[in-house]
Amino acid sequence: MNEIIRTYSELIRLPTFLERYEYLKLDGLVGKDTFGFDRYLNQIFYKSKEWLSIRDHVIVRDNGCDLGIRDREIHGRILIHHINPLSKEDILSRSDLLLNPEYLISTTKSTHDAIHYGKISKEDVELIVRTKGDTCPWKK
């Protein structure tokens, strides 16, 4: 089976959040097992020193921004998304997809969930432009 391998180098050529989201989206199903009974393998991997190190590297490279887009800073927990879905075999064989920054991108939880399950909200796509006093109705 010839599967298309997506890359960070291609992703960053896309200027908008929506274009990057469309490039990455997987249209998976909520509740569908990815690893089944072998889920412990990826849990061990995500606690490894090598993962934690590359995770930090990707966050710095992406400036802590959602999908690496400037001005979309992540102000909460940052997830590192594998651009290409992983399999049990990828973990067991230590595939290049695991730790190569070319196959990783920083995301928020809502963006990560949207990539996997195809549900993106208008708020995720459009940034809210804040103005002074906009959250204080009595100052308007």
Side-chain angles (χ1 to χ4, degrees):
M1 178 165 105
N2 268 344
E3 195 172 310
I4 296 171
I5 299 295
R6 294 173 179 94
T7 66
Y8 175 80
S9 297
E10 289 177 353
L11 178 71
I12 61 167
R13 289 187 199 135
L14 303 172
T16 69
F17 176 85
L18 195 54
E19 288 172 304
R20 290 184 186 194
Y21 164 74
E22 289 293 329
Y23 177 78
L24 294 171
K25 78 178 184 172
L26 300 170
D27 293 325
L29 300 173
V30 175
K32 180 179 179 244
D33 277 343
T34 306
F35 283 83
F37 290 115
D38 296 317
R39 187 143 180 87
Y40 73 94
L41 290 172
N42 71 359
Q43 297 306 312
I44 292 169
F45 168 71
Y46 288 123
K47 292 178 183 171
S48 72
K49 286 181 183 178
E50 52 193 350
W51 169 253
L52 296 174
S53 175
I54 200 65
R55 178 186 185 283
D56 290 345
H57 170 80
V58 171
I59 291 170
V60 170
R61 177 199 67 194
D62 297 341
N63 294 311
C65 294
D66 198 11
L67 299 185
I69 297 174
R70 186 182 309 270
D71 299 325
R72 291 190 69 101
E73 295 90 4
I74 300 171
H75 297 287
R77 184 170 161 227
I78 299 174
L79 300 179
I80 302 303
H81 173 68
H82 281 92
I83 294 172
N84 300 286
L86 297 179
S87 68
K88 172 184 171 182
E89 290 73 29
D90 288 320
I91 291 176
L92 291 173
S93 69
R94 304 306 264 182
S95 162
D96 192 43
L97 297 176
L98 284 179
L99 297 167
N100 186 333
E102 183 66 8
Y103 306 119
L104 302 168
I105 189 70
S106 300
T107 68
T108 63
K109 176 154 179 22
S110 63
T111 299
H112 189 259
D113 289 350
I115 289 168
H116 280 277
Y117 308 117
K119 304 250 186 204
I120 191 127
S121 70
K122 181 179 176 184
E123 292 81 25
D124 288 329
V125 176
E126 298 173 4
L127 287 177
I128 298 171
V129 178
R130 307 308 314 206
T131 58
K132 186 175 181 177
D134 69 353
T135 58
C136 296
W138 58 88
K139 289 188 176 184
K140 287 192 176 204

